[in-house]
Amino acid sequence: MAQAQAYIIEGCQFVVDIDLARFFDQVNHDRLMAAVAVRISDRRVLRLIRGFLTAGVLHGGLFEESREGTPQGGPLSPLLSNLVLDELDRELERRGHRFVRYADDCNIYVRSEKAGHRVMRSLTRFIEGHLKLKINLEKSAVAQPWERSFLGFTVKNEPEFRRCIADKALTRFKHRVRALTSRHRGVTLERMIRELASYLRGWAGYFGFSQWFELQSLDSWIRRRLRCVAWVQWKTRGRRYRELRRLNVPERSASAAVFSPKGPWRLSFSKALHQGFTKARFRRLGLPPMEKLVDA
């Protein structure tokens, strides 16, 4: 992503975004094994890799043979995909293109839209004619980089072209957090925070590479959801008042919250719940800010 950003800063402000249709499902076994055999001479290893490719899968309780493709999510698949697409890399280098590729996700950076369409037509002929792979025309496009994403990131349309998290990645993140912090999960707030912190640790470790400000706003949104969960779990006015006072919320603020006609989500932004569930309290409960997880 840093290399892609560098190309954009250099002036390549159009991207040829190539998406290979069902790449892991359609790799030709014989072609792949020929590429492996160029690098590996031990027949035992070759038989083992062939067995990995042809082991078959269970789908809906029924066994299906594997006649082509590599198991998606399998430990060898990323390495084998690089062997298949090594020819593509060499061809792009031979043509002098500025490009980045990770597995089957390939972006080529050019200076004009016209050049982008020319590159797209040429590479489509090479990929489908020589590599015998299919391009997903619905997902492939020639566009400006801030209109596309690469590995969950994109860039801002500004002079610095700072990296930021793509909208789809943020949507998936919020969907997952909503599931983990559902008001009606039936688990304690402490357990909910433990499970959430585990997910945030991995997510922030990856997306902390962003140069934008998403993590701070997401932290604030997560804390608000957890305040909402606590309020719903307390259920009755009496318990809500007692819990707020136990958290050292002043009597006036606690009473205002308890007798407010507002719903849980709006109350989660109230003064009383902010006083009761401060950032420091959330850290003590095991929920550090995501920026701290990036540094870790």
Side-chain angles (χ1 to χ4, degrees), residues 188-204:
T188 64
L189 187 66
E190 290 75 12
R191 177 180 167 184
M192 188 177 288
I193 288 175
R194 283 198 304 272
E195 295 175 359
L196 182 62
S198 176
Y199 174 66
L200 296 180
R201 190 172 295 109
W203 196 88

Side-chain angles (χ1 to χ4, degrees), residues 131-282:
L131 297 182
K132 307 301 181 186
L133 297 171
K134 291 290 184 182
I135 288 181
N136 188 330
L137 297 178
E138 291 183 2
K139 294 185 178 180
S140 300
V142 176
Q144 295 189 292
W146 44 89
E147 298 171 350
R148 308 293 292 181
S149 64
F150 181 64
L151 303 180
F153 291 93
T154 186
V155 295
K156 287 287 182 181
N157 183 13
E158 58 172 23
E160 295 84 7
F161 299 113
R162 281 177 287 184
R163 298 185 299 269
C164 62
I165 304 170
D167 289 343
K168 286 184 179 180
L170 287 173
T171 299
R172 286 194 298 269
F173 171 79
K174 287 191 172 184
H175 180 76
R176 177 63 174 153
V177 170
R178 285 190 181 100
L180 289 171
T181 59
S182 171
R183 307 175 198 177
H184 308 293
R185 280 192 62 201
V187 300
T188 64
L189 187 66
E190 290 75 12
R191 177 180 167 184
M192 188 177 288
I193 288 175
R194 283 198 304 272
E195 295 175 359
L196 182 62
S198 176
Y199 174 66
L200 296 180
R201 190 172 295 109
W203 196 88
Y206 182 84
F207 285 103
F209 191 58
S210 170
Q211 295 173 318
W212 204 240
F213 315 109
E214 301 98 338
L215 297 189
Q216 296 97 313
S217 63
L218 289 172
D219 273 333
S220 176
W221 175 73
I222 290 168
R223 288 192 298 269
R224 187 174 178 183
R225 285 196 62 84
L226 291 172
R227 292 184 184 109
C228 185
V229 167
W231 187 256
V232 171
Q233 288 184 346
W234 290 340
K235 295 184 179 179
T236 65
R237 282 181 174 176
R239 185 181 176 189
R240 286 169 177 170
Y241 181 81
R242 290 192 300 273
E243 292 290 350
L244 288 175
R245 295 291 288 136
R246 185 178 63 82
L247 295 173
N248 299 318
V249 176
E251 183 178 351
R252 183 183 294 271
S253 294
S255 296
V258 167
F259 289 100
S260 171
K262 296 177 181 177
W265 179 246
R266 292 183 66 190
L267 273 172
S268 66
F269 201 61
S270 67
K271 182 178 180 180
L273 283 169
H274 271 269
Q275 290 173 326
F277 288 98
T278 62
K279 293 180 183 179
R281 176 163 179 78
F282 276 123

Side-chain angles (χ1 to χ4, degrees), residues 74-112:
L76 270 183
S77 293
L79 176 61
L80 296 176
S81 72
N82 274 337
L83 286 176
V84 173
L85 295 176
D86 185 60
E87 279 190 78
L88 175 61
D89 293 344
R90 299 292 171 254
E91 181 65 16
L92 291 171
E93 289 172 352
R94 187 185 68 79
R95 298 183 185 190
H97 287 310
R98 296 174 175 87
F99 73 97
V100 291
R101 182 180 66 77
Y102 186 86
D104 60 336
D105 200 349
C106 183
N107 283 358
I108 301 100
Y109 294 86
V110 296
R111 294 184 181 274
S112 70

